[in-house]
């Protein structure tokens, strides 16, 4: 599940159900690939099996049945995380949380992470089916939107009964179902689009052209753009949203993703740079790079990235801010 990048002891319930407990002060090592992710005490990494089900309650495992009145975790600042299109994306988000909240020698707040290979596959199929050039090579049947919504609702209920006090989904396309899944939720359910729109509003940006509205560029997959939630959240804060035109989608963005599929990193980088420059010349203040696939294409020192925003960062900052306030009781 962790591809060797997490060095930590595990209590294994069975080959596909993993619970991890690690103290941050013992877990700060270096790995050959990346710095090891530190997991706070009492935090849980929960991986479902291929059927998408969670592990059964077992004596001594620390995981109580869902009908129990007791919760898995009881801290007021416990966060529930629903993983999306890839495990790596969820782990990257955890890294942001740990690094952002574990300052001055403090431990990260407790969290529960749900990772589900069934959901991963369904979302990947949904993304590919939304892109004509990629769906031609995809022989799988179209994704079932109602099944995805039900899967997410089950995870939300599990997290609520586990004792989490806030829920987040570090995956762009999952927010297509945010309204449906968050309906009736007993705890705050942060929305990545709202987080990034609020931060941009608080930044008090000024239009690049006198007399023009504040323009924000949005670069994302067909599925995310079609869902429209980023456009809605940004427009509600008074921003004009600038999307890639049809030619840019067909000749740069889609080919860039196809280049990634072929492991042609140089080709993907060149095409992505063109797509970003096309948006920037339209007098946008910044570009929201809302794509798991495109997020890591350009090197960190690329000048174009300084003009881009990663919504995952905004969600991580909002999550940390919530957890800190919850810990203080404010």
């Amino acid at each position: 599940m962790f591809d060797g990048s997490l060095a930590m002891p595990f209590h294994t319930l069975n080959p596909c159900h993993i619970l991890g407990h690690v103290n941050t002060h013992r877990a700060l090592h270096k790995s050959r690939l990346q710095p090891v992710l530190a997991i706070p005490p009492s935090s849980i990494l929960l991986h479902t099996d291929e059927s998408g089900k969670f592990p059964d309650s077992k004596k001594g495992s620390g995981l109580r049945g869902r009908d129990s009145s007791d919760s898995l975790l009881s801290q007021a600042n416990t966060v529930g995380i629903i993983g999306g299109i890839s495990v790596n994306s969820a782990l990257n988000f955890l890294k942001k949380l740990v690094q952002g909240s574990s300052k001055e020698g403090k431990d990260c707040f407790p969290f529960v992470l749900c990772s589900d290979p069934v959901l991963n596959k369904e979302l990947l199929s949904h993304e590919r089916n939304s892109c004509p050039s990629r769906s031609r090579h995809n022989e799988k049947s179209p994704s079932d939107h109602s099944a995805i919504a039900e899967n997410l609702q089950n995870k939300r209920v599990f997290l609520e009964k586990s004792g989490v006090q806030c829920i987040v989904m570090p995956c762009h396309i999952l927010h297509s179902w945010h309204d449906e899944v968050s309906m009736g939720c007993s705890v705050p359910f942060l929305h990545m689009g709202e987080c990034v729109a609020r931060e941009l509003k608080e930044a008090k940006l000024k239009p690049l052209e006198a007399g023009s509205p504040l323009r924000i560029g949005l670069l994302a997959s067909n599925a995310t753009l079609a869902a429209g939630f980023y456009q809605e959240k940004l427009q509600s804060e008074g921003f004009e949203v600038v999307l890639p035109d049809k030619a840019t989608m067909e000749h740069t963005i889609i080919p860039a993703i196809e280049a990634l599929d072929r492991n042609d990193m140089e080709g993907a980088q060149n095409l992505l740079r063109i797509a970003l420059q096309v948006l920037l010349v339209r007098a946008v203040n910044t570009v929201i790079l809302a794509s798991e696939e495109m997020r890591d294409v350009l090197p960190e020192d690329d000048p174009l990235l300084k003009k881009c925003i990663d919504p995952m960062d905004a969600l991580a900052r909002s999550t940390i801010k919530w957890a800190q306030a919850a810990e203080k009781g404010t």
Side-chain angles (χ1 to χ4, degrees):
M1 168 182 164
F2 299 104
D3 195 27
S5 62
L6 296 181
M8 60 179 71
F10 291 111
H11 165 61
T12 305
L13 300 180
N14 63 49
C16 293
H17 301 149
I18 301 174
L19 299 180
H21 307 264
V22 176
N23 187 293
T24 40
H25 302 299
R26 290 193 295 107
L28 292 173
H29 308 270
K30 287 186 178 179
S31 132
R32 288 179 299 175
L33 299 178
Q34 300 178 19
V36 172
L37 182 66
I39 307 299
S42 300
S43 291
I44 305 297
L45 296 171
L46 180 59
H47 191 62
T48 67
D49 59 20
E50 288 293 338
S51 68
K53 295 181 178 180
F54 294 107
D56 294 329
S57 174
K58 293 194 176 185
K59 185 176 181 180
S61 69
L63 182 63
R64 298 180 175 87
R66 291 180 60 175
D67 293 331
S68 170
S69 59
D70 294 323
S71 297
L72 180 64
L73 296 171
S74 58
Q75 292 92 325
N77 61 340
T78 303
V79 174
I81 304 167
I82 301 177
I85 206 163
S86 74
V87 175
N88 284 337
S89 182
L91 292 179
N92 284 335
F93 179 73
L94 284 182
K95 183 178 177 181
K96 294 178 188 294
L97 292 185
V98 171
Q99 292 180 338
S101 61
S102 302
K103 296 179 180 178
E104 301 176 358
K106 295 181 180 179
D107 281 324
C108 177
F109 48 83
F111 61 80
V112 181
L113 166 64
C114 296
S115 176
D116 180 359
V118 173
L119 182 61
N120 298 158
K121 293 175 183 177
E122 289 177 343
L123 292 172
L124 183 59
S125 175
H126 175 72
E127 285 261 288
R128 290 182 178 274
N129 285 333
S130 70
C131 181
S133 61
R134 301 176 86 188
S135 61
R136 284 198 297 267
H137 307 291
N138 184 6
E139 297 178 357
K140 296 181 180 179
S141 58
S143 55
D144 184 344
H145 289 215
S146 61
I148 293 176
E150 183 179 1
N151 185 318
L152 293 172
Q153 287 168 338
N154 288 339
K155 286 175 174 54
R156 188 210 83 192
V157 171
F158 173 85
L159 289 172
E160 289 177 286
K161 292 190 175 182
S162 296
V164 307
Q165 299 300 313
C166 177
I167 298 176
V168 297
M169 298 190 297
C171 173
H172 303 287
I173 195 59
L174 278 187
H175 286 73
S176 302
W177 294 274
H178 184 279
D179 290 348
E180 185 175 356
V181 176
S182 63
M183 188 178 299
C185 187
S186 62
V187 300
F189 201 133
L190 303 188
H191 190 295
M192 191 148 52
E194 290 179 354
C195 294
V196 71
R198 182 170 56 250
E199 284 195 356
L200 286 170
K201 186 72 172 181
E202 293 172 352
K204 300 186 183 301
L205 302 172
K206 296 182 179 180
L208 298 183
E209 296 179 345
S212 299
L214 277 167
R215 297 191 180 103
I216 304 297
L218 176 60
L219 206 57
S221 67
N222 272 344
T224 299
L225 292 177
F229 52 85
Y230 276 117
Q231 297 93 306
E232 176 190 346
K233 301 303 180 183
L234 289 165
Q235 289 167 355
S236 68
E237 292 290 355
F239 297 107
E240 179 180 312
V241 183
V242 179
L243 304 178
D245 56 25
K246 183 178 179 182
T248 302
M249 289 295 295
E250 292 180 352
H251 299 298
T252 61
I253 297 176
I254 293 175
I257 295 174
E258 292 173 341
L260 285 177
D261 290 341
R262 300 190 303 270
N263 294 319
D264 177 10
M265 183 59 72
E266 183 178 356
Q269 289 175 343
N270 292 335
L271 289 164
L272 180 56
R273 288 189 180 104
I274 293 172
L276 288 172
Q277 289 166 346
V278 169
L279 284 176
L280 289 169
V281 298
R282 296 170 67 183
V284 300
N285 285 71
T286 189
V287 176
I288 295 176
L289 195 54
S291 167
E292 279 93 349
E293 292 180 298
M294 292 184 281
R295 182 183 58 216
D296 299 322
V297 170
L298 297 180
E300 291 184 3
D301 59 352
D302 194 295
L304 283 174
L305 283 184
K306 295 180 180 179
K307 300 181 180 181
C308 296
I309 294 177
D310 183 354
M312 293 286 186
D313 291 334
L315 180 63
R317 285 189 289 265
S318 294
T319 304
I320 293 169
K321 184 177 180 180
W322 174 89
Q324 292 173 340
E327 185 179 23
K328 295 176 182 177
T330 58

